[in-house]
Amino acid sequence: VQLQASGGGLVQAGGSLRLSCAASGNIFSIMMMGWFRQSPGKQRELVASITSGVTNYADSVKGRFTISRDNTKNAVYLQLNSLKAEDTAVYYCNANIKTSFSFPPLNYWGQGTLVTVSS
């Protein structure tokens, strides 16, 4: 199983970006899909997650970021609006994926995509 993230880039403060992540490989079902981020010198933190349509957001991004999912494409998206300099980080997609009916889900990480917000 692989997670391929894309959509990062350089944007001015107040701008928007849309991140995408698609899962591929031997997938039976996908439970949670989400986004984490890590800034230099900081721990990786949860940004947003979505499970069976229920979303969860970090307080710092509520009202600015929106997570969505397309189950037909095994994909998760993160719309980043009203970006701030402190949103600058490498964003990683993450998912709990079952590769068969019999086994519990395993956790997978994408390769990360850099979001840089200039002030």
Side-chain angles (χ1 to χ4, degrees), residues 58-73:
D59 288 342
S60 59
V61 307
K62 282 181 181 176
R64 299 189 297 120
F65 293 6
T66 303
I67 190 169
S68 60
R69 184 168 163 177
D70 185 340
N71 293 326
T72 65
K73 298 181 179 179

Side-chain angles (χ1 to χ4, degrees), residues 37-46:
R37 67 185 181 186
Q38 188 167 20
S39 305
K42 294 187 178 181
Q43 287 189 331
R44 192 173 295 188
E45 62 175 357
L46 174 68

Side-chain angles (χ1 to χ4, degrees), residues 48-103:
S49 66
I50 182 167
T51 305
S52 299
V54 178
T55 58
N56 178 50
Y57 294 93
D59 288 342
S60 59
V61 307
K62 282 181 181 176
R64 299 189 297 120
F65 293 6
T66 303
I67 190 169
S68 60
R69 184 168 163 177
D70 185 340
N71 293 326
T72 65
K73 298 181 179 179
N74 291 331
V76 63
Y77 309 97
L78 188 66
Q79 179 68 39
L80 295 71
N81 295 332
S82 302
L83 281 160
K84 305 175 182 179
E86 51 262 44
D87 295 318
T88 294
V90 177
Y91 284 71
Y92 298 90
C93 63
N94 181 263
N96 291 337
I97 298 174
K98 288 174 63 74
T99 56
S100 75
F101 174 79
S102 303
F103 294 98

Side-chain angles (χ1 to χ4, degrees), residues 26-40:
N26 182 29
I27 297 171
F28 176 77
S29 65
I30 302 178
M31 318 305 280
M32 182 279 297
M33 298 191 85
W35 293 91
F36 287 71
R37 67 185 181 186
Q38 188 167 20
S39 305

Side-chain angles (χ1 to χ4, degrees), residues 99-119:
T99 56
S100 75
F101 174 79
S102 303
F103 294 98
L106 298 178
N107 189 254
Y108 295 88
W109 290 95
Q111 85 282 11
T113 185
L114 177 62
V115 172
T116 304
V117 183
S118 63
S119 56

